[in-house]
Amino acid sequence: MKKIFLFVIIITLSNCSEDLTNNTPGFEASVDGKDWVAQSYNAIVQNNQLSISGNNQFGTISMVIDSIDINSFELRSWSDDFAVFQDTIYYSTKNDGVGSIAFLSAGRIDINEINYDESSVSGHFYFECYDNTGLHVKNISEGVFYRVPINIQD
């Protein structure tokens, strides 16, 4: 059983990297278990904040962190770093679910590379976010952004 599980994970990871290699640069994730690939994407640096966004006809994923460093950033309702998914409803890691402590928004963004020569950023992300009522949730997983162009604004 362990060998089958390991094989499935290896195949899944190799498929993700093949997709991004063929679509360099790229931005994709799984939204509630369904593949989600951005048709357009960008990164903006302004006031020492990095904002990375991608969108398609089904919605927009945006993440904002208070740093432009290679590092890991935790996404919590009480932190300055946050992520958003918006379709017909606005979901954010700034919102928590109602009913229990088990319904806290959470996630992480890993900035793995900042290429200053090409002005691009690469990394991974996942997060769970709620709407403003705390009743509806979106699960964003297996997120990857690869060589997304950075626009620096003053």
Side-chain angles (χ1 to χ4, degrees):
M1 185 70 175
K2 288 182 182 179
K3 289 181 181 177
I4 292 171
F5 181 71
L6 182 60
F7 178 74
V8 170
I9 288 182
I10 290 170
I11 293 299
T12 302
L13 291 175
S14 66
N15 284 341
C16 288
S17 64
E18 286 176 11
D19 290 343
L20 282 179
T21 302
N22 293 334
N23 295 313
T24 302
F27 187 116
E28 61 188 52
S30 176
V31 176
D32 290 336
K34 296 178 184 165
D35 290 342
W36 186 96
V37 178
Q39 294 171 331
S40 64
Y41 38 81
N42 68 359
I44 297 171
V45 172
Q46 185 174 20
N47 299 327
N48 206 34
Q49 275 190 329
L50 175 61
S51 172
I52 305 165
S53 298
N55 65 2
N56 65 21
Q57 69 272 22
F58 301 109
T60 300
I61 295 174
S62 298
M63 300 165 286
V64 177
I65 55 176
D66 276 341
S67 177
I68 52 172
D69 296 324
I70 295 173
N71 206 340
S72 294
F73 303 91
E74 295 295 322
L75 306 171
R76 305 278 186 208
S77 59
W78 58 84
S79 72
D80 290 335
D81 305 323
F82 65 95
V84 167
F85 179 83
Q86 184 169 3
D87 50 14
T88 58
I89 299 173
Y90 180 87
Y91 302 87
S92 174
T93 58
K94 288 289 192 185
N95 302 325
D96 287 325
V98 294
S100 169
I101 195 163
F103 299 112
L104 295 177
S105 289
R108 189 169 85 194
I109 303 169
D110 296 319
I111 303 296
N112 303 112
E113 176 188 54
I114 299 174
N115 186 323
Y116 292 101
D117 295 331
E118 295 179 8
S119 294
S120 67
V121 62
S122 301
H124 298 84
F125 64 93
Y126 66 89
F127 60 92
E128 186 171 80
C129 53
Y130 290 86
D131 70 350
N132 63 354
T133 68
L135 298 174
H136 302 96
V137 64
K138 283 287 180 186
N139 186 314
I140 314 302
S141 60
E142 302 172 11
V144 179
F145 49 95
Y146 182 68
R147 294 190 178 168
V148 170
I150 297 174
N151 181 2
I152 299 175
Q153 298 181 350
D154 292 329

